[in-house]
């Protein structure tokens, strides 16, 4: 038992050591606002994506919050830049998140959400809020790749949700699609979904089926239905609708 715990600690330390320089580079681009930091961030995003594809999900799960933090900070900055019309690189000394970095950050976030489960309601609420801020950007404010990247992150998040062990919970009344979908993007085609022990303290599916979540769920279904030409979006909309059917006024075409 002690040997297994020591091996687990060593694995966690190794994963953390691999992630640390990349998370620092992403935070640097938000602080320094220099071309050099943008170049370093782009390189770190490529390396981070490659690492996410190779690392086993159980080894990455304990580092979820540490890894998600700079990616979500980057998403916040990218959304703000696009609201202010600065994605193309205008403004000396201003924070500018280029399309390449913004889309690279979303690709990494999607990979992270594909491998890791959310473990608290606070995580889900915070993530939904940040993704929504990007999803509502208009085509004139953000590229199609950026907006589709937002939806892919949302899709990855909800496909990781599972029913809890409480038989009386409302989540067990839901029809849940398999949580190991075929990933369509060639960039993440090698990702696997090993089973691991990360379990949320609160039932996240039950929250999605609650009255409190109805406005957010309805809003996301509306956004997804506007983009049904993408198969990834269709899968996400089906999962969301089937797990919220008692409250949602939006219906998918049959």
């Amino acid at each position: 038992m002690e040997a297994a715990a020591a091996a687990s600690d060593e694995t966690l330390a190794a994963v953390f050591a691999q992630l640390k320089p990349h998370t620092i580079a992403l935070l640097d681009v938000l602080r320094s606002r220099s071309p050099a930091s943008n170049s370093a961030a782009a390189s770190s995003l490529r390396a981070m994506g490659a690492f996410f594809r190779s690392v086993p999900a159980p080894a990455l799960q304990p580092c979820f919050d540490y890894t998600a933090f700079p990616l979500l900070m980057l998403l916040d900055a990218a959304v703000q830049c696009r609201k202010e019309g600065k994605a193309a690189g205008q403004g000396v000394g201003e924070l500018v998140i280029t399309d390449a970095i913004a889309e690279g950050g979303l690709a990494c976030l999607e990979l992270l959400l594909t491998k890791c489960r959310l473990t608290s309601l606070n995580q889900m609420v915070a993530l939904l809020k940040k993704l929504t801020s990007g999803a509502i950007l208009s085509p004139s404010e953000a590229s199609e790749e950026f907006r589709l990247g937002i939806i892919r992150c949302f899709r990855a998040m909800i496909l990781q949700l599972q029913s809890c062990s409480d038989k009386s919970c409302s989540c067990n009344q839901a029809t849940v699609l398999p949580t190991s979908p075929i990933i369509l993007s060639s960039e993440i085609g090698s990702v696997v979904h090993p089973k691991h022990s990360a379990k949320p303290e609160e039932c996240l599916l039950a929250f999605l089926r609650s009255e409190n979540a109805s406005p957010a769920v309805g809003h996301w279904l509306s956004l997804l239905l506007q983009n049904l030409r993408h198969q990834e979006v269709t899968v996400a909309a089906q999962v969301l609708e089937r797990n919220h059917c008692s409250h949602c006024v939006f219906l998918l075409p049959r």
Side-chain angles (χ1 to χ4, degrees):
M1 184 69 70
E2 291 181 359
S8 178
D9 289 342
E10 289 178 2
T11 300
L12 179 59
V15 171
F16 179 80
Q18 288 272 5
L19 290 172
K20 185 176 180 179
H22 305 316
T23 57
I24 290 175
L26 295 183
L27 293 174
D28 280 346
V29 76
L30 301 175
R31 286 194 297 258
S32 66
R33 309 185 179 192
S34 68
S37 65
N38 274 270
S39 177
S43 176
S44 286
L45 286 170
R46 289 191 294 270
M48 183 180 283
F51 179 67
F52 285 169
R53 295 184 189 96
S54 65
V55 67
L60 188 58
Q61 181 70 48
C63 299
F64 176 80
D65 285 326
Y66 174 78
T67 312
F69 175 73
L71 292 173
L72 293 177
M73 290 283 288
L74 185 65
L75 174 57
D76 281 342
V79 170
Q80 190 60 37
C81 283
R82 278 144 188 79
K83 286 181 178 178
E84 298 173 358
K86 295 188 295 187
Q90 304 95 325
V92 177
E94 295 181 350
L95 177 59
V96 176
I97 307 298
T98 64
D99 283 343
I101 292 179
E103 292 161 16
L106 286 173
C108 284
L109 182 59
E110 180 189 0
L111 281 168
L112 182 65
L113 293 170
T114 299
K115 286 212 167 179
C116 298
R117 302 185 189 281
L118 300 183
T119 56
S120 74
L121 184 56
N122 286 339
Q123 282 181 338
M124 172 179 275
V125 171
L127 183 59
L128 281 174
K129 184 180 296 186
K130 293 180 184 299
L131 291 177
T132 301
S133 67
I136 62 177
L137 291 175
S138 69
S140 64
E141 292 175 314
S143 67
E144 182 177 11
E145 290 78 9
F146 180 85
R147 289 179 288 113
L148 185 56
I150 291 282
I151 293 176
R152 283 175 171 161
C153 289
F154 177 78
R155 171 183 181 267
M157 179 194 74
I158 62 172
L159 284 174
Q160 282 284 22
L161 300 180
Q162 291 186 341
S163 300
C164 68
S165 57
D166 184 355
K167 299 302 181 183
S168 64
C169 180
S170 64
C171 72
N172 288 297
Q173 303 168 18
T175 302
V176 185
L177 292 183
T179 57
S180 298
I182 297 174
I183 305 299
L184 301 178
S185 170
S186 60
E187 292 186 358
I188 57 175
S190 61
V191 173
V192 295
H193 287 255
K195 293 182 179 179
H196 48 81
S197 59
K199 295 181 179 179
E201 297 176 358
E202 303 147 285
C203 182
L204 304 183
L205 274 178
F207 169 72
L208 285 182
R209 290 175 60 84
S210 69
E211 292 287 353
N212 289 338
S214 291
V217 170
H219 183 64
W220 265 100
L221 270 173
S222 178
L223 290 170
L224 294 172
L225 288 169
Q226 294 171 28
N227 293 274
L228 279 178
R229 66 186 182 277
H230 300 288
Q231 188 172 351
E232 299 98 325
V233 177
T234 303
V235 173
Q238 288 173 339
V239 174
L240 194 58
E241 186 215 13
R242 293 180 186 185
N243 285 285
H244 200 74
C245 56
S246 61
H247 302 308
C248 188
V249 298
F250 296 97
L251 295 176
L252 287 172
R254 303 302 181 191

